Amino acid sequence: EVEVEKNQASLDKATANRKKELAEFNEDEKDTLQSISALKSAVTVLSKHNGGAALLDMQAALRSTMRTHHDKIGDMLSPHEFKTVTGFLQSPEDYFDAEPTFKQSYAPQSGEIFGILKNMLSTFEADLSQAQKEEMQSQSAFESLKAAKEDEIKEGQEHVEQKQEELANTDESLAQAKEDLEDTRASLSADQSFLANLKEKCQL
């Protein structure tokens, strides 16, 4: 019974940890997907030389990505690249020629920011793929652990039930033995009384 309780407690703990890990993964995955979307949008805007509303939307999305993944991006980029991205977010219009044509063309620094954002996009996509693989492995490991613990709990419960049945049978046997003993004592007492009466009659 103690073993069953230990296995159940172990399974409960593993289940709680898995739920926590899954919640964290789902949150991280959501943030990463939003960042990938923002980076794809930025790359598209820059590649199509789009300004105006598209530029403002991209600026807001990228700012959100920089806030959410500040430490990660800080590790990902060199100080110069980080400064370039920060400058781009402050004044994205500077990365287009001042004189708009039918299709705005790149200012010289546009090529650099375009390359940086593409590299960031590739890194985020690779990290997402790796995180998803690790999540699948964690889920698989948990399922294996869960199955093993459930088998152990089932075996433990069957063992407990078997012991309880054996105890019940022992109790029943003991009760029967006590009853038999009482019957034997009663019979012995009757025999002794009969013998005593017989002796009295013989002495007469």
Side-chain angles (χ1 to χ4, degrees):
E1 214 165 325
V2 173
E3 200 62 32
V4 171
E5 289 174 1
K6 279 173 66 179
N7 281 323
Q8 186 62 56
S10 177
L11 178 57
D12 290 345
K13 184 179 179 182
T15 301
N17 286 340
R18 180 84 280 266
K19 283 182 178 176
K20 183 182 175 185
E21 286 174 1
L22 182 59
E24 288 172 355
F25 166 77
N26 286 337
E27 188 63 30
D28 289 344
E29 184 184 46
K30 179 184 168 187
D31 288 342
T32 302
L33 285 169
Q34 287 175 342
S35 296
I36 287 172
S37 176
L39 287 163
K40 281 182 177 178
S41 171
V43 168
T44 299
V45 167
L46 283 169
S47 66
K48 292 183 178 178
H49 310 172
N50 289 335
L55 197 62
L56 292 175
D57 290 343
M58 176 205 68
Q59 182 185 26
L62 274 181
R63 277 181 173 167
S64 176
T65 293
M66 293 292 283
R67 279 195 304 271
T68 304
H69 299 282
H70 185 270
D71 292 340
K72 179 177 180 176
I73 292 171
D75 293 337
M76 191 186 301
L77 303 179
S78 69
H80 171 73
E81 289 173 332
F82 194 88
K83 186 177 179 183
T84 300
V85 173
T86 303
F88 174 65
L89 289 176
Q90 287 173 345
S91 304
E93 64 279 358
D94 291 348
Y95 287 73
F96 293 91
D97 282 340
E99 291 296 324
T101 58
F102 176 71
K103 276 192 174 180
Q104 287 180 298
S105 59
Y106 284 129
Q109 65 267 42
S110 291
E112 183 182 12
I113 190 66
F114 184 77
I116 293 170
L117 293 178
K118 279 196 79 173
N119 287 338
M120 285 173 66
L121 175 59
S122 295
T123 301
F124 269 96
E125 287 176 332
D127 288 351
L128 176 62
S129 177
Q130 182 61 31
Q132 288 170 334
K133 285 177 187 173
E134 289 173 1
E135 165 56 24
M136 286 176 67
Q137 289 169 353
S138 295
Q139 183 62 29
S140 178
F142 169 71
E143 292 295 344
S144 297
L145 172 67
K146 182 182 177 186
K149 285 297 175 187
E150 285 176 341
D151 284 344
E152 288 175 11
I153 289 167
K154 184 181 177 184
E155 287 173 12
Q157 286 171 335
E158 286 172 354
H159 183 68
V160 168
E161 287 168 7
Q162 184 184 346
K163 287 295 180 187
Q164 287 173 337
E165 188 177 339
E166 288 173 3
L167 181 60
N169 290 338
T170 302
D171 289 343
E172 189 179 339
S173 298
L174 182 61
Q176 185 63 48
K178 282 182 178 178
E179 192 177 323
D180 291 345
L181 179 60
E182 287 171 6
D183 289 346
T184 302
R185 280 177 176 164
S187 177
L188 177 61
S189 179
D191 289 347
Q192 286 172 336
S193 295
F194 174 75
L195 185 59
N197 289 336
L198 192 59
K199 279 182 179 178
E200 282 179 19
K201 287 179 182 177
C202 288
Q203 288 171 356
L204 290 175

